[in-house]
Amino acid sequence: MDLHLNDKQVIVMGGSKGLGFACAEALVQEGARVALVSRNMENLLQAAQKLRTASKYDIPVFACDVQNPADISRLGEWVISTFKGIDGLLLNAGGPPAGGALTFSDASWQTALDTTFMSVVRLTRLFVPIMRRQKYGRIAVIESSSVKQSIDNLALSNAIRPAAAAYLKTLSSETAADNILINTILPGPTRTERLEALLQSWAEKAHTSVDEITKRREAQIPMGRFGEPQELAALAVFLLSGKNTYITGQLIAVDGGYSRTVF
Ligand SMILES: NC(=O)c1ccc[n+]([C@@H]2O[C@H](COP(=O)([O-])OP(=O)(O)OC[C@H]3O[C@@H](n4cnc5c(N)ncnc54)[C@H](OP(=O)(O)O)[C@@H]3O)[C@@H](O)[C@H]2O)c1
């Protein structure tokens, strides 16, 4: 199937590692022009190097911490001066730290709000006007299965991600007439560096091995295994493509059946 991504310009936030990198790789395979954004320039350069062998185009990179509004403004200036337009945007960053509902200070809540909620507001405020002028745009946002079903000991994610999803639902109805389609992806546990680090810390806490913890966690998933980043990327690429012409405002889980909710 031709996804109509050839030559399309897509910005991949959090594109240096994990789910973002898998999406960037899949977009490159479909012929898209990809630019990567994350905080650490070294990570970005390594990721771009890996992608260059498969890409017909250069892979521009930009260092930006989405927690910081001044960084987001600089990103906007870079995008406007570097690209003719933006066809696709993958919004993604690191997740908030683990912890119970009463364990965080005001400062920790503010940091999580800036990184996980306000970044989505600020980045869409930046990119949607560009897409409006083109009368075309596709935005996919990586959130978490915690939007549908809260996860133990992830109070920040459980509280903040549903707000981001509700904001995106509202925005999607305001942009649909301009052919800007916005969808939210809800990953369940997926094999990235972040998950490997979490498994290690859960194993230490439970005084057991990573293999044992992996078995216990995978047993909670109807498909009996963690996801692979490429499995999420397959959906993201479709949602970001010109082949997606009528799906907007949706929350779509890629979780092997992990969320036990109907909607
Ligand atoms: N993997 C899972 O099982 C899973 C499940 C549910 C939800 N999620 C969510 O999906 C998202 C991606 O997860 P992942 O597993 O791919 O994580 P990851 O492997 O830690 O990758 C995160 C990416 O985002 C970048 N990043 C982190 N903080 C940033 C910031 N403040 N500003 C800009 N870029 C930032 C990182 O690069 P730099 O370090 O260079 O900034 C990296 O490229 C997270 O929000 C996570 O909570 C993941």
Side-chain angles (χ1 to χ4, degrees), residues 94-166:
L102 299 178
T103 61
F104 294 103
S105 65
D106 282 8
S108 303
W109 277 100
Q110 196 55 56
T111 299
L113 277 165
D114 276 331
T115 308
T116 305
F117 180 74
M118 284 312 297
S119 69
V120 173
V121 175
R122 291 176 179 132
L123 287 161
T124 50
R125 212 156 51 194
L126 193 68
F127 285 100
V128 165
I130 299 174
M131 292 176 167
R132 272 212 164 107
R133 285 195 288 278
Q134 305 164 168
K135 297 275 179 217
Y136 180 91
R138 299 288 179 266
I139 302 177
V141 186
I142 299 182
E143 291 291 343
S144 165
S145 63
S146 66
V147 170
K148 286 195 172 210
Q149 180 173 292
S150 61
I151 303 171
D152 286 351
N153 205 40
L154 278 184
L156 293 173
S157 178
N158 295 338
I160 296 171
R161 290 194 188 277

Side-chain angles (χ1 to χ4, degrees), residues 16-17 19 38-40 43 65-66 92-95 161 190 192:
S16 63
K17 284 193 231 157
L19 302 178
S38 80
R39 292 166 303 182
N40 182 298
N43 292 343
D65 184 342
V66 297
N92 167 53
R161 290 194 188 277
T190 311
T192 64

